[in-house]
Amino acid sequence: MTTKQAPSTLQKMGLDSPMALALHLPSRYEDETELLTIEEALNQGRFSSAQTQGIVIRNQVLFRPRRQLLVTIEDHTATLQLRFLNFYPSQQKQMAVGAHVRVRGEVREGFQGPEMVHPTVRAVATDAPLPTSLTPVYPVSAGVSQLVIRKAVTQALRDPSLQDSLAEFLPKKLMSELLPSHDWPSLQSAITYLHQPPADANTQSLLERTHPAWRRVQFEELLAQQISLKRAHAIRRERHAPSFAKASKAGNSLEVALLKALPFQLTGAQNQVWTEIGVDLEKSFPMNRLLQGDVGSGKTVVAALAAARVMDYGYQAAIMAPTEILAEQHYLKMKEWFEPLGVQIAWLSGSLKAKEKRSAQEMIESGQAQLIVGTHALIQENVSFAKLGLAVIDEQHRFGVRQRLEIQQRVGSELFYCHQLMMSATPIPRTLAMTYYADLDVSVIDELPPGRKPINTKVVKASRRDEVISGLHSWLLKGLQAYWVCPLIDESEALQLQTVVESFEQLTQALPEFKVGLVHGRLKAEEKAAVMAAFKANEIQLLVATTVIEVGVDVPNAALMVIEHAERFGYAQIHQLRGRVGRGSADSVCILMYAEPLSMAAKERLQTLREVSDGFVIAERDLSLRGPGELLGAKQSGDAMLRFVDLQRDAWLIELAQQAAERLLVEHADLVERHLERWLGSRAEFLKA
Ligand code: ADP
Ligand code: MG
């Protein structure tokens, strides 16, 4: 490895300063502090790594069964064979007969007795000193050797600037009050320790990241997160947003009229969250609330009520969804609820024709449109709202990080800040949500509307496809509708298209007396919308679809869903998908068809999905599998914020960090900036997304 390339590769990994290198902590360690005699190494037991040394007494290249280098070393106790299947001439020279080498590797049983295959070899004098600390192994990207990164880190740790960057500034008094019995080292010694633990360090706790040195680092990181959270909270409270108090019972309020016109009563949970949101809307600073509720829990009507409140005051409300299909569903629902009440609704999506788009924009700009529903186009297409009071963002975690930043920038415009309500059907534990997003209030709908029957989930082998189709046939004969979902095929969109089309053709043939429809990602938005409308009107009885129907689609008469290749889907995806059924009064069925062979993980996943219908429980399984970042769609920002903390493992630290953050902000405002700069640096922007 030439030193010329190394810096740029390290830079690509973001390791471009002493501080960045210092915070690039090892993922594990190797013990090179111990040197065994060859006999001890042989006796130590197979498959464990050992370090020993000796003089080369034989060095030969064999050609059978393939070209390889065989080297034998000996010390005063025994001999050991080293085997290299790939080797460079330089290695052959390094291990010339008579050379003294120190080797490290696993001893295993070879054809001709015990041997090490591909040990690490260093030519050193017999009495060359041993390292006194464990050797760190760093996470690296391809093309960076451990040697290069170790050298860079060692250099960084010696850099004078680091003294400053890692300076201790948590007041001793504060720490001893918060955590009287802590045995945490200072930050600088914690970092040094983690890079170079002494030979007798407790490697178990280092690996599990529960060692006091790790605790110290994790605490600092959490502290930065809590501080930025609290600061964002304080900043929001200083901003101004229009205040919308609860409507009086009398008069022609949309809020009251909508409640009256609804064909159902709000559930207790819906009432509860609507109260929480109502309180936020009365405040003169912007609401920033996440409304969580399992699929089908009825979030839309809560959003509609919030919109009604805002419109009652002559302000506009906007509802934005991440896909055309979902946005369209909202549009239809809002038309159904609000048009009879005389509300002007505008629809804006990227697929509108230029002329339609312009007229929608005009309606929005003039204030003629009171309620605006659309996709991301709402913020992309240079729309200026006459008087926006509320932005509802459905399934916000499905927007990309950049889009979410754009949304935040638009919602917090120069003029004023509007209230913001985000909705998500991915139920995540409340504390997790609140620690992940900077400054966010969370409401949860934890109850489904009455009369919902549990979805009966079945797991079926793909070889029983014919049976499934004949079951489907009798289902449709009852006048009910159904979905047939084909899997996402990551490798090739063309292949994916082929599978849906094939299934569509097969099912069309197998069910001649019914109309079968087809939707997939390649269709134009208006084609998709036409198929969905026909399905909703029961002109289509069976809808063959890709995962484009994953979120939000609402057709109560469709209570059967077949999912092909269910083994390829994740927990959340299947849970969301099957949330499409079970919306009407009919018994709902979800059939998970799988192809063999089934991996252990997939088997467990399907079993869990069969047994568990509670989205929160499923999310928890998912969480332990994938980590919270991915689940929240906050991978980038989440990673940036918490690199060393595992919110599940280290939950107890959160509270401590919260308390420390509170006190620092009040008692040591000067330290706060330094702390944030240290931990977040340029990443701070991402946290707003
Ligand atoms: P989600 O939370 O998944 O977005 P929706 O808002 O689409 O769920 O609601 C699912 C279905 O339940 C819709 O058809 C909606 O009209 C209906 N619904 C919502 N609230 C109630 C309620 N309190 N009682 C009966 N049905 C309801
Ligand atoms: Mg929804």
Side-chain angles (χ1 to χ4, degrees):
M1 181 115 1
T2 64
T3 43
K4 230 177 160 184
Q5 290 170 321
S8 72
T9 352
L10 287 181
Q11 265 160 10
K12 262 192 224 147
M13 290 173 62
L15 303 177
D16 50 5
S17 68
M19 181 63 172
L21 282 157
L23 290 182
H24 192 68
L25 296 173
S27 46
R28 61 185 183 86
Y29 304 91
E30 278 169 0
D31 189 354
E32 292 176 346
T33 63
E34 206 185 10
L35 188 64
L36 305 179
T37 64
I38 292 179
E39 190 179 23
E40 285 166 338
L42 295 178
N43 290 337
Q44 169 182 286
R46 307 286 182 253
F47 306 113
S48 71
S49 197
Q51 181 170 244
T52 184
Q53 62 181 1
I55 291 181
V56 177
I57 55 167
R58 199 165 48 153
N59 172 318
Q60 55 183 161
V61 176
L62 292 188
F63 291 91
R64 269 167 305 149
R66 51 186 275 211
R67 187 169 175 268
Q68 50 184 291
L69 173 64
L70 275 184
V71 172
T72 310
I73 61 169
E74 97 178 342
D75 67 2
H76 62 283
T77 61
T79 63
L80 173 67
Q81 182 150 281
L82 316 176
R83 185 190 297 273
F84 300 85
L85 298 169
N86 299 299
F87 60 95
Y88 296 104
S90 58
Q91 281 177 299
Q92 205 180 341
K93 239 160 106 190
Q94 183 192 31
M95 290 176 279
V97 171
H100 183 267
V101 290
R102 195 169 278 178
V103 297
R104 189 171 182 286
E106 266 175 30
V107 179
R108 65 171 209 192
E109 210 56 53
F111 288 117
Q112 301 132 2
E115 62 177 17
M116 277 186 187
V117 179
H118 288 255
T120 41
V121 178
R122 278 183 301 156
V124 293
T126 331
D127 57 355
L130 288 166
T132 51
S133 55
L134 300 178
T135 308
V137 179
Y138 292 101
V140 286
S141 41
V144 183
S145 83
Q146 288 294 330
L147 276 180
V148 166
I149 196 160
R150 271 175 209 155
K151 220 161 121 189
V153 171
T154 310
Q155 229 165 40
L157 290 177
R158 284 200 212 107
D159 196 292
S161 74
L162 211 59
Q163 296 282 339
D164 208 36
S165 319
L166 293 178
E168 187 62 42
F169 56 67
L170 287 182
K172 269 212 175 64
K173 184 163 163 288
L174 181 99
M175 289 311 292
S176 57
E177 279 169 25
L178 283 177
L179 201 63
S181 61
H182 80 85
D183 55 349
W184 295 350
S186 72
L187 183 60
Q188 182 151 20
S189 37
I191 297 273
T192 312
Y193 190 96
L194 293 174
H195 284 293
Q196 300 162 347
D200 62 351
N202 180 341
T203 41
Q204 176 93 358
S205 68
L206 283 176
L207 289 182
E208 288 169 358
R209 302 196 165 189
T210 53
H211 190 281
W214 269 115
R215 290 306 188 201
R216 179 57 213 260
V217 174
Q218 290 158 349
F219 177 74
E220 291 257 336
E221 179 172 62
L222 268 176
L223 184 61
Q225 188 225 26
Q226 291 299 323
I227 289 174
S228 53
L229 215 130
K230 287 195 194 318
R231 251 204 345 194
H233 188 72
I235 290 171
R236 179 157 63 90
R237 277 160 186 267
E238 277 164 22
R239 288 182 174 151
H240 186 75
S243 151
F244 306 116
K246 192 175 166 61
S248 66
K249 288 264 181 290
N252 45 1
S253 125
L254 282 172
E255 182 186 338
V256 174
L258 174 61
L259 272 173
K260 253 195 218 142
L262 284 178
F264 50 75
Q265 294 260 305
L266 293 188
T267 62
Q270 282 170 322
N271 265 320
Q272 171 64 29
V273 300
W274 169 225
T275 305
E276 288 164 9
I277 291 165
V279 168
D280 282 0
L281 291 174
E282 277 185 43
K283 300 267 164 66
S284 57
F285 60 87
M287 165 169 78
N288 193 31
R289 188 170 282 277
L290 174 67
L291 174 57
Q292 286 190 38
D294 207 348
V295 276
S297 61
K299 297 182 288 293
T300 317
V301 67
V302 177
L305 284 166
R309 168 81 60 91
V310 166
M311 291 189 282
D312 273 333
Y313 281 79
Y315 278 81
Q316 292 171 308
I319 301 179
M320 194 165 88
T323 67
E324 290 257 357
I325 288 195
L326 189 50
E328 169 108 28
Q329 292 270 330
H330 283 317
Y331 178 55
L332 295 176
K333 200 93 213 180
M334 294 305 139
K335 274 214 322 207
E336 180 189 322
W337 284 336
F338 280 119
E339 256 180 9
L341 305 178
V343 172
Q344 289 282 333
I345 309 173
W347 163 248
L348 190 68
S349 86
S351 65
L352 284 184
K353 297 200 182 75
K355 206 175 133 199
E356 299 165 318
K357 209 177 276 177
R358 228 175 302 122
S359 100
Q361 282 165 342
E362 276 167 21
M363 274 178 71
I364 298 169
E365 262 172 58
S366 68
Q368 191 196 342
Q370 298 164 274
L371 180 58
I372 301 100
V373 185
T375 59
H376 187 234
L378 283 185
I379 50 167
Q380 261 173 350
E381 310 269 352
N382 242 338
V383 184
S384 47
F385 293 88
K387 219 178 166 189
L388 188 63
L390 169 75
V392 177
I393 297 145
D394 197 11
E395 300 295 341
Q396 73 100 30
H397 62 287
R398 295 169 68 99
F399 288 101
V401 169
R402 239 197 55 237
Q403 289 180 332
R404 291 209 301 266
L405 270 178
E406 273 170 30
I407 295 171
Q408 295 316 320
Q409 277 154 12
R410 284 304 303 269
V411 168
S413 75
E414 318 78 52
L415 290 177
F416 66 89
Y417 294 85
C418 77
H419 296 284
Q420 194 183 165
L421 178 65
M422 289 163 285
M423 303 199 289
S424 170
T426 304
I428 39 163
R430 185 190 295 248
T431 47
L432 204 57
M434 293 178 76
T435 37
Y436 243 83
Y437 296 109
D439 178 37
L440 182 79
D441 297 310
V442 181
S443 292
V444 180
I445 304 184
D446 54 5
E447 171 189 8
L448 292 180
R452 293 281 165 79
K453 302 234 176 88
I455 301 164
N456 181 2
T457 300
K458 297 178 180 170
V459 178
V460 175
K461 265 188 220 163
S463 53
R464 291 172 54 200
R465 191 184 179 99
D466 288 345
E467 274 172 66
V468 171
I469 294 178
S470 81
L472 178 59
H473 184 239
S474 12
W475 178 271
L476 297 178
L477 281 175
K478 286 191 250 170
L480 293 163
Q481 293 167 275
Y483 298 94
W484 185 286
V485 181
C486 298
L488 201 70
I489 299 171
D490 280 335
E491 309 89 72
S492 150
E493 206 187 333
L495 204 60
Q496 170 167 341
L497 199 61
Q498 189 192 328
T499 358
V500 237
V501 171
E502 272 169 17
S503 288
F504 169 71
E505 282 167 0
Q506 188 201 12
L507 290 162
T508 308
Q509 274 194 354
L511 305 162
E513 63 270 63
F514 297 104
K515 182 108 174 67
V516 183
L518 174 64
V519 270
H520 53 75
R522 281 283 188 83
L523 291 185
K524 291 207 187 80
E526 61 255 38
E527 295 171 323
K528 264 189 251 173
V531 179
M532 290 310 298
F535 187 57
K536 200 156 185 168
N538 200 357
E539 287 153 21
I540 286 173
Q541 286 77 45
L542 176 66
L543 185 64
V544 179
T546 52
T547 47
V548 293
I549 60 151
E550 190 180 333
V551 284
V553 175
D554 186 22
V555 181
N557 191 46
L560 170 70
M561 175 175 285
V562 180
I563 303 179
E564 268 192 90
H565 280 294
E567 78 279 2
R568 295 191 194 161
F569 293 91
Y571 273 119
Q573 262 181 324
I574 289 195
H575 184 65
Q576 294 251 328
L577 276 170
R578 76 175 166 190
R580 303 304 113 226
V581 300
R583 302 206 147 204
S585 48
D587 282 332
S588 311
V589 180
C590 177
I591 296 176
L592 305 177
M593 272 211 288
Y594 67 90
E596 288 175 307
L598 206 53
S599 72
M600 281 301 287
K603 197 168 177 177
E604 193 190 318
R605 198 160 57 232
L606 294 180
Q607 219 153 13
T608 302
L609 283 161
R610 191 184 61 202
E611 290 159 9
V612 182
S613 61
D614 184 332
F616 276 83
V617 177
I618 289 172
E620 241 152 50
R621 303 267 167 108
D622 211 8
L623 195 65
S624 58
L625 222 76
R626 294 193 296 163
E630 205 177 320
L631 206 62
L632 295 170
K635 187 119 187 89
Q636 259 170 298
S637 51
D639 273 0
M641 192 158 213
L642 296 173
R643 295 159 62 188
F644 307 123
V645 174
D646 176 326
L647 286 173
Q648 287 186 308
R649 182 193 58 204
D650 310 323
W652 66 279
L653 272 177
I654 297 174
E655 201 179 323
L656 199 65
Q658 268 167 354
Q659 290 168 5
E662 247 157 56
R663 290 193 45 185
L664 270 187
L665 280 165
V666 176
E667 298 164 25
H668 304 278
D670 52 317
L671 300 180
V672 165
E673 283 310 314
R674 285 180 68 194
H675 188 76
L676 285 183
E677 180 55 32
R678 170 191 279 178
W679 281 97
L680 303 177
S682 59
R683 293 193 298 263
E685 261 306 292
F686 272 114
L687 303 178
K688 296 182 192 147

